[in-house]
Amino acid sequence: PRSTLFPYRRSSDLLKTPVAIIKGYAATLSRPDARWDRKTIQDNLGVIEEEADRLNALIQNLLTASKLQAQGDLSLTKTEVLVDELAELAVERFTSQTNKHKFKLKFQSPYPMIYADEARLRQVIDNLLSNAVKYSPDGGIIEVGGYATTTTATFYVRDSGVGLSEEDQRHIFDRFYRVDSKLSSKTQGSGLGLYLSKAIVQAHGGTIEVKSAPNRGSTFFVHLPRV
Ligand code: ADP
């Protein structure tokens, strides 16, 4: 039978690109006839690490999508989670991947601990941060923050990128939906990130929403129940 793991037509192509890049850079670095200087080695290893992170995130998304497809919902393993600390760690990881963007953390202190599936929430944060970088090609500030009420803990990711029309805002959480634009066609993506982020947030009893306008950047808000 055909694989049910990666049931999506484009997914094999999406996986091949980072693998090809990693292999290419590794092969170049290990050429026996070449003597690379320290800086070249460092730069190339940086690309390898970055592509491995990207590949990892993509595999996570494809696995989650196939699980969701097979089971109809997502099972969660809940523990005490500090979303502000997760966000800080994610920002550290993304900072090394871009020099065009400046990251700013703005969590209310103290920010409440919540019961949630940490790995799944990390996936949501990674998807939102990755999009914030991808869809603000001129760089700028990416702000990650959070605040809480007695019943809800909210976190958000704000970019100053290309933004979204009202029409696109209605569809971006649909499976495989990608905005039809020059930037999207140049940018790697599966159209699964926001679909899965929404499924994960909903499995927690929360909601996700976007506030945006074309060329005015976008802010994605995730509202999670406390307790
Ligand atoms: P993709 O893998 O294509 O990035 P997503 O599900 O994460 O898939 O996002 C769906 C589409 O929504 C993207 O293709 C992009 O057009 C749009 N989008 C997502 N995040 C942003 C953002 N921060 N700014 C502008 N457009 C965005």
Side-chain angles (χ1 to χ4, degrees), residues 10 14 58 61 127-136 157-159 161-164 168 171-181 183-184 187-197 210 212 217-220:
R10 288 184 60 239
L14 284 167
L58 178 58
N61 278 348
N127 275 320
L128 295 180
L129 278 174
S130 150
N131 283 346
V133 171
K134 282 198 296 189
Y135 302 110
S136 46
V157 177
R158 170 172 297 144
D159 65 56
V162 297
L164 288 152
D168 283 327
H171 299 291
I172 48 170
F173 297 100
D174 298 347
R175 191 160 62 128
F176 299 135
Y177 188 84
R178 303 196 71 211
V179 174
D180 187 10
S181 72
L183 177 61
S184 304
T187 314
Q188 276 204 46
S190 61
L192 284 174
L194 289 178
Y195 162 72
L196 292 173
S197 297
V210 61
S212 180
S218 309
T219 309
F220 286 84

Side-chain angles (χ1 to χ4, degrees), residues 69-70 77 97 143 185-186 201 209:
Q69 188 116 330
T77 310
Q97 296 187 10
E143 184 176 303
S185 62
K186 284 192 301 185
V201 171
E209 57 170 341

Side-chain angles (χ1 to χ4, degrees), residues 29-66:
L29 282 180
S30 64
R31 260 168 48 189
D33 56 328
R35 287 207 173 276
W36 305 112
D37 58 68
R38 192 77 215 140
K39 165 120 177 42
T40 309
I41 293 171
Q42 216 59 50
D43 288 351
N44 288 16
L45 287 175
V47 174
I48 290 174
E49 195 178 351
E50 200 178 296
E51 287 303 316
D53 282 344
R54 210 193 306 279
L55 186 59
N56 190 38
L58 178 58
I59 290 170
Q60 283 303 326
N61 278 348
L62 291 169
L63 287 172
T64 309
S66 71

